[in-house]
Amino acid sequence: MPDSPSTILISNDGAVQTITLNRPDSLNAFNDLMLKELSKAVRAAEKDPAVRCLVFTGAGRGFSSGQDLAEVRERSNKDQPLELGSHLRAMYNPLILKIRTIEKPVIASVNGVAAGAGCSFALACDIRIAAESASFIEAFIKVGLVPDSGSTFMLPRLIGVSRAMEMAFTGRKIKTDEALRIGLVNQVVPDDQLAEETAKFARKLADLPTRAIGLTKRAINAAWRADLETQLDYEAMLQTTAGQTQDHREGVTAFLEKRQPTFQGK
Ligand code: T3D
């Protein structure tokens, strides 16, 4: 893989890093190179303490149309059945897991259609800010597949089982007014204000105590598979860690000195 990526663009503005999916001719369909470049970029962002908020968006009129279907056809060998599971395990699952577990806030700035694995990718992010003209399609059913890349996990948790079933069974396009009403997105903004509104929110998140945000993400992820007693104990353990951060000390000091805190993410 060359050093500078060819299917994504990476830009930094202070502590906010924006990764733009950049295959606009196919509405940013994921091919193998893009999935590799994305994974590498997210791992690098994870290690870089200067990055305190990660934003994903798409170039052109789409966010992502999911798996590149032309590449699927190339991969299929007529003599042998197509084995999609190993492709998912190798290419998508580690990326989705990394986004869910990276200890920094992750925003999907959804500029257009998010379909199939492109929808799953947006759902894996912590926050979704959508342009008015964006849409969400669990397109898998239209090509005879089951939702993957975490959609069957995230979707019912975000919008409830009945709505998730309907979206997944029918592949119906969900426009942003409905997406906002059912809790699929956090915010809908006019198309021409998406970049600005995302940047504003991302800067706000990047200024917060990043360690505490990372630990919060850990706690909420864990809550999905815990009982209350276990979760209470886990919160106590995480709070011990948070309580020993510089940002906790700064927060308390700033409060008592009646000034705004300056958090360093440590
Ligand atoms: O391999 C594995 O690991 C399995 C994993 C599977 C995960 C999945 O994501 S399965 C689901 C894959 N995605 C889809 O089925 C969605 C396919 N796309 C669409 O249904 C539509 O394009 C949209 C509803 C997203 C948008 O419709 P529209 O009318 O706005 O745009 P369009 O004209 O259909 O697409 C514009 C161009 O993008 C077009 O190319 P052209 O004709 O201008 O040269 C179209 O072919 C291309 N394109 C759109 N989606 C894909 C794509 N090319 C390759 N792969 C795509 N997914």
Side-chain angles (χ1 to χ4, degrees):
M1 198 175 5
D3 269 356
S4 49
S6 63
T7 61
I8 57 173
L9 303 169
I10 304 174
S11 65
N12 294 294
D13 179 9
V16 177
Q17 180 167 99
T18 299
I19 299 180
T20 304
L21 310 178
N22 191 30
R23 300 186 69 225
D25 290 351
S26 61
L27 306 179
N28 305 313
F30 295 121
N31 63 5
D32 281 1
L33 181 58
M34 188 193 262
L35 290 164
K36 280 183 199 154
E37 290 183 338
L38 269 173
S39 288
K40 186 175 170 195
V42 176
R43 284 199 307 272
E46 182 178 38
K47 284 197 200 111
D48 185 350
V51 176
R52 292 172 61 191
C53 180
L54 198 53
V55 175
F56 291 108
T57 194
R61 70 178 178 88
F63 177 73
S64 170
S65 59
Q67 169 62 38
D68 187 322
L69 295 175
E71 206 168 78
V72 171
R73 195 172 49 190
E74 273 168 33
R75 251 192 279 138
S76 67
N77 171 346
K78 299 217 169 33
D79 298 332
Q80 282 177 357
L82 191 60
E83 216 286 74
L84 296 180
S86 49
H87 186 252
L88 285 171
R89 288 189 192 96
M91 306 302 294
Y92 284 95
N93 297 1
L95 174 63
I96 297 293
L97 262 181
K98 185 56 72 189
I99 293 170
R100 287 295 331 127
T101 56
I102 187 174
E103 300 211 339
K104 311 185 185 216
V106 182
I107 300 175
S109 180
V110 186
N111 55 301
V113 63
C119 184
S120 307
F121 184 76
L123 300 185
C125 297
D126 301 318
I127 307 275
R128 279 152 294 286
I129 303 176
E132 251 163 20
S133 67
S135 57
F136 297 82
I137 310 176
E138 289 285 324
F140 306 88
I141 197 73
K142 303 206 168 173
V143 288
L145 295 180
V146 295
D148 61 28
S149 307
S151 257
T152 60
F153 187 87
M154 294 303 298
L155 197 60
R157 284 169 168 82
L158 287 169
I159 64 173
V161 174
S162 294
R163 288 193 174 109
M165 292 287 189
E166 194 240 343
M167 238 183 115
F169 290 174
T170 64
R172 181 168 68 84
K173 182 196 274 196
I174 305 292
K175 294 187 180 164
T176 44
D177 50 350
E178 182 176 1
L180 186 63
R181 182 169 50 77
I182 65 180
L184 197 56
V185 297
N186 299 74
Q187 206 183 327
V188 176
V189 300
D191 287 10
D192 62 356
Q193 287 169 34
L194 179 67
E196 186 188 330
E197 290 301 322
T198 302
K200 217 188 282 174
F201 192 62
R203 271 197 296 274
K204 204 184 281 181
L205 291 179
D207 282 343
L208 293 173
T210 312
R211 285 284 288 137
I213 286 189
L215 296 169
T216 302
K217 233 173 125 162
R218 239 194 258 184
I220 290 176
N221 283 336
W224 285 337
R225 49 177 193 275
D227 56 40
L228 177 60
E229 202 177 351
T230 310
Q231 189 66 14
L232 286 168
D233 194 56
Y234 191 51
E235 286 173 357
M237 193 192 90
L238 295 175
Q239 202 66 300
T240 299
T241 305
Q244 290 165 4
T245 60
Q246 278 181 31
D247 283 344
H248 170 59
R249 280 197 295 281
E250 165 64 3
V252 173
T253 307
F255 177 79
L256 296 174
E257 290 175 357
K258 299 191 186 307
R259 62 170 172 83
Q260 285 302 311
T262 304
F263 296 120
Q264 305 291 337
K266 295 178 192 158

